Amino acid sequence: MTTKTAGYRIDTDEQGQVTLALLGAWSATGLGHVASALGEELKGREVTRLELGELERFDTAGALALRQAADVTTDKALWQANPQAGSIYRTIARLEDMTTPAPKRPPALIRGFSKVGRGVHDFGSETMGSFAFLGRLIIACVTALKSPKRIRWAAWVSQMEKAGLDAIPIVAITNFFIGAVVAFIGVDLLTQFGAGVFSVQLIGVAVFREFAVVITAVLLAGRSASSFAAEIGSMKMNQEVDAMQVMGVDPFQALVIPRLAGLLIMLPLLTFVAMMGGLLGGILVSWSQLNLGPAFFFQRLLEDGYMAKHMMVGLVKAPIFALVVAAIGCRQGMAVDGDVESLGSRVTGAVVQAIFAIILLDAVFALIFIELGI
């Protein structure tokens, strides 16, 4: 009767020599957990003799399990009772000896320091790449100003349409609701103190000074910065940028400058549209909640030219935000490697870095204007 599972028997004589008897089918289908049990029972003891009379089948899986559990020697004399099994075992033992052991995993503390080190290295390389991109961008801008005839006006207009005109609906609608939310909060809060009429000034300051330009820049960071990175990155993947350089075309003049100029021209206009959208939302809420009509709203808003100052503060930020958003999107696109994973990570990085830069710059502007008393 054929045994379908593997087994073993261990005998130890008076001199302490170990005899291992292999029983049944030492094959892929019959091993089960016999190898781990054998390793536990032997616990590093050396096998000096093999009994193979009751061994029915022996394949490479059985040889590997025996090698890992008992590390039996490959001496032919030990396998004399079954030369075929001995040949299989010697082949597996030779392959195991040739295999490089897996590297030991370093301690958690070392892995933590290694991760921090890689982060610092990546930050340093990203910073150096950004400075290199900035240098090339400045050179390209100076070259474009010195040779206006070489400017690609058609590309400028195309980018102005994509980044500016096409974004008007989403910018206006988003800022309309932002203005309405600010108005709801201001009316509810100030009415408790009998100063509901001052919600007009609150809406004007919030929309003109902060929300219009910041929300518009964040929308363009998600819309245009990602688009710039994806477009230029796909061209890098398809080696179109390399083809431009071979043909003598400067990629910065053809790809970066038009996008930078288009966003630089259109973001102040979009900011003005956002201001009007935010004001419209504030007017409707004030009219419905406080019965303050549009005429009274604008009268309060334009008193003493107070709001003109806040509008100028918001518009001054717009070109700086435009430069930062466009530069980050184009820089991430130019840094794409030849694989799709790099393209995805660079597009994500463009959006995240642009939004972070906008918030950081807005805080810096706030400190500067406070120091200037504006």
Side-chain angles (χ1 to χ4, degrees), residues 170-180 207 211-213 215-216 219 270 273-275 277-279 281:
I170 185 64
V171 168
I173 293 172
T174 302
N175 282 275
F176 171 83
F177 287 112
I178 292 293
V207 171
F211 284 116
V213 63
I215 296 299
T216 303
L219 287 174
L270 288 174
V273 171
M275 290 176 179
L279 279 185

Side-chain angles (χ1 to χ4, degrees), residues 4 17 50 77 101 143 180 201 207 214 264 269 282 324 333:
K4 294 183 179 180
Q17 294 183 338
L50 281 177
T143 303
Q201 279 82 356
V207 171
V214 171
L264 180 62
L269 299 179
V324 170

Side-chain angles (χ1 to χ4, degrees), residues 24-372:
W26 280 70
S27 61
T29 57
L31 281 174
H33 300 287
V34 67
S36 57
L38 175 61
E40 288 290 330
E41 194 166 343
L42 284 175
K43 291 183 180 179
R45 289 186 293 170
E46 183 181 359
V47 176
T48 57
R49 185 169 177 270
L50 281 177
E51 290 186 2
L52 307 174
E54 299 180 61
L55 180 64
E56 298 175 1
R57 289 200 306 274
F58 192 79
D59 61 10
T60 54
L64 180 60
L66 180 63
R67 175 73 175 181
Q68 293 176 344
D71 195 16
V72 178
T73 180
T74 57
D75 188 5
K76 292 185 178 181
L78 198 66
W79 294 86
Q80 188 174 4
N82 194 332
Q84 184 178 2
S87 176
I88 295 173
Y89 183 80
R90 283 190 293 275
T91 300
I92 294 298
R94 185 168 60 254
L95 293 175
E96 273 285 288
D97 293 339
M98 291 170 58
T99 303
T100 304
K104 293 183 178 180
R105 196 177 186 189
L109 182 61
I110 302 299
R111 293 200 305 272
F113 279 117
S114 176
K115 190 172 182 179
V116 172
R118 285 195 299 271
V120 172
H121 176 269
D122 293 342
F123 178 79
S125 61
E126 187 73 15
T127 303
M128 293 300 295
S130 298
F131 278 118
F133 176 86
L134 180 61
R136 291 191 61 185
L137 181 59
I138 292 174
I139 294 173
C141 291
V142 172
T143 303
L145 293 175
K146 289 172 62 177
S147 304
K149 294 181 180 180
R150 301 177 61 183
I151 294 177
R152 301 170 182 267
W153 297 107
W156 283 38
V157 174
S158 175
Q159 293 301 326
M160 288 166 61
E161 180 183 3
K162 291 180 182 178
L165 297 180
D166 293 347
I168 287 178
I170 185 64
V171 168
I173 293 172
T174 302
N175 282 275
F176 171 83
F177 287 112
I178 292 293
V181 170
V182 172
F184 272 120
I185 295 174
V187 168
D188 181 65
L189 182 62
L190 294 175
T191 303
Q192 298 178 17
F193 302 99
V197 70
F198 290 103
S199 60
V200 175
Q201 279 82 356
L202 175 63
I203 295 167
V205 171
V207 171
F208 284 155
R209 194 179 185 99
E210 293 294 334
F211 284 116
V213 63
V214 171
I215 296 299
T216 303
V218 168
L219 287 174
L220 290 186
R223 188 179 182 275
S224 297
S226 60
S227 175
F228 294 167
E231 290 170 358
I232 298 177
S234 62
M235 295 180 71
K236 283 271 291 184
M237 289 176 57
N238 295 330
Q239 298 181 341
E240 295 177 44
V241 176
D242 297 333
M244 283 183 178
Q245 293 175 328
V246 171
M247 292 186 297
V249 177
D250 185 1
F252 274 71
Q253 295 289 344
L255 301 176
V256 178
I257 297 297
R259 288 169 170 80
L260 194 72
L263 210 60
L264 180 62
I265 295 171
M266 294 307 298
L267 188 53
L269 299 179
L270 288 174
T271 301
F272 181 77
V273 171
M275 290 176 179
M276 297 302 103
L279 279 185
L280 181 59
I283 289 172
L284 292 178
V285 172
S286 300
W287 199 357
S288 62
Q289 297 295 314
L290 296 177
N291 199 25
L292 300 178
F296 180 79
F297 189 96
F298 282 108
Q299 180 184 355
R300 293 282 299 178
L301 202 63
L302 299 176
E303 283 180 353
D304 302 326
Y306 181 66
M307 287 300 154
K309 178 180 69 173
H310 296 295
M311 178 181 285
M312 290 307 301
V313 167
L315 291 175
V316 164
K317 300 178 186 178
I320 308 301
F321 289 171
L323 289 173
V324 170
V325 170
I328 289 176
C330 294
R331 183 265 183 280
Q332 293 297 326
M334 296 293 284
V336 170
D337 297 326
D339 56 278
V340 178
E341 183 180 359
S342 173
L343 177 63
S345 64
R346 289 295 178 178
V347 171
T348 304
V351 177
V352 173
Q353 290 183 16
I355 294 176
F356 176 79
I358 290 166
I359 303 302
L360 178 62
L361 286 174
D362 189 58
V364 172
F365 272 119
L367 294 176
I368 293 174
F369 289 135
I370 288 174
E371 291 294 327
L372 295 176

